[in-house]
Amino acid sequence: MKTVTEQDDFASMHEVISRRAQRYLDGDEKFAPLPDVFFIDGGPAQVAEAEDALMEKGIVSVPVFGMVKDDRHHTRALTTREGREIGIQSNPAVFAFVGNIQEETHNFAIGYHKTLRKKTIASRLEDIPGVGEKRRRALLRAFKSVKNIREAAVEELSAVVPRSTAQAVNDYFHGGEEEQTPESGGEETL
């Protein structure tokens, strides 16, 4: 999210759909033509939020449907903003089509979040003098997380990278600053 700073699914939905519509309106070829339909992960309230975002941009020609899930988190029906459900289980082709969309969306989201996480991890270690791609991979392979690398002693780090690099890693996380504790807000989250 670029403007939503707190956990707010509706504001996030609005921002994403607004950005998508604006890119189309700005002539970005990657976002043209408009899709024939928007499938939204959620119910009537999420559909209404997406439709409102499109209407704000003057786009009223693209239908929006929410994907209603069953107990196994598979789409069992589509829904409108008014809450009218359209069953899809009785039509195998439509059911499979929507299921494939759901699966691709899920895979894309997981891949995107993994990429973001890798960039976060990589960027923390890239700031350390002497730690390039090869040493970063070796440290992460050996210690499994940046938190474990931060907590490792120079001797432990030296088993994976040269002593001068191990010292640079230690200095990066502990040098010249009072080490923060979880109580003081210094607990690292990835």
Side-chain angles (χ1 to χ4, degrees):
M1 295 294 96
K2 296 184 182 197
T3 61
V4 177
T5 58
E6 296 180 15
Q7 180 67 33
D8 183 339
D9 291 342
F10 294 100
S12 297
M13 174 76 65
H14 195 94
E15 179 181 327
V16 168
I17 297 296
S18 291
R19 270 200 331 255
R20 165 66 174 90
Q22 191 60 53
R23 301 263 315 255
Y24 164 75
L25 294 171
D26 289 343
D28 188 331
E29 292 179 9
K30 295 179 194 172
F31 292 88
L34 283 172
D36 295 326
V37 64
F38 279 99
F39 288 119
I40 304 298
D41 188 18
Q46 286 84 1
V47 172
E49 193 68 43
E51 284 182 345
D52 291 348
L54 289 170
M55 283 190 258
E56 286 175 11
K57 299 294 183 181
I59 298 172
V60 295
S61 59
V62 182
V64 180
F65 295 100
M67 297 188 297
V68 181
K69 308 293 190 307
D70 62 17
D71 294 341
R72 295 184 322 262
H73 205 67
H74 294 103
T75 301
R76 67 169 177 77
L78 301 177
T79 187
T80 65
R81 90 183 283 148
E82 296 81 23
R84 184 174 61 88
E85 286 194 13
I86 303 163
I88 61 171
Q89 291 180 326
S90 62
N91 186 329
V94 173
F95 184 73
F97 176 70
V98 172
N100 286 339
I101 290 171
Q102 180 185 5
E103 187 65 30
E104 285 301 314
T105 302
H106 179 75
N107 291 341
F108 177 83
I110 288 173
Y112 177 73
H113 287 288
K114 282 182 180 178
T115 300
L116 286 180
R117 187 167 187 271
K118 283 180 184 176
K119 285 181 181 178
T120 300
I121 290 170
S123 66
R124 290 287 315 266
L125 297 177
E126 283 175 355
D127 293 338
I128 303 172
V131 177
E133 178 69 27
K134 187 174 178 181
R135 289 180 180 165
R136 182 174 61 245
R137 280 198 313 259
L139 286 165
L140 287 170
R141 199 171 24 254
F143 293 97
K144 309 296 185 216
S145 73
V146 173
K147 180 180 183 236
N148 292 341
I149 294 168
R150 182 186 70 202
E151 293 173 353
V154 174
E155 293 74 27
E156 293 171 294
L157 295 167
S158 295
V160 178
V161 295
R163 176 116 183 133
S164 60
T165 303
Q167 189 63 55
V169 169
N170 186 66
D171 291 349
Y172 176 81
F173 288 116
H174 307 290
E177 296 180 9
E178 183 179 318
E179 188 172 341
Q180 293 184 331
T181 63
E183 295 80 27
S184 68
E187 184 63 28
E188 181 175 330
T189 57
L190 294 177

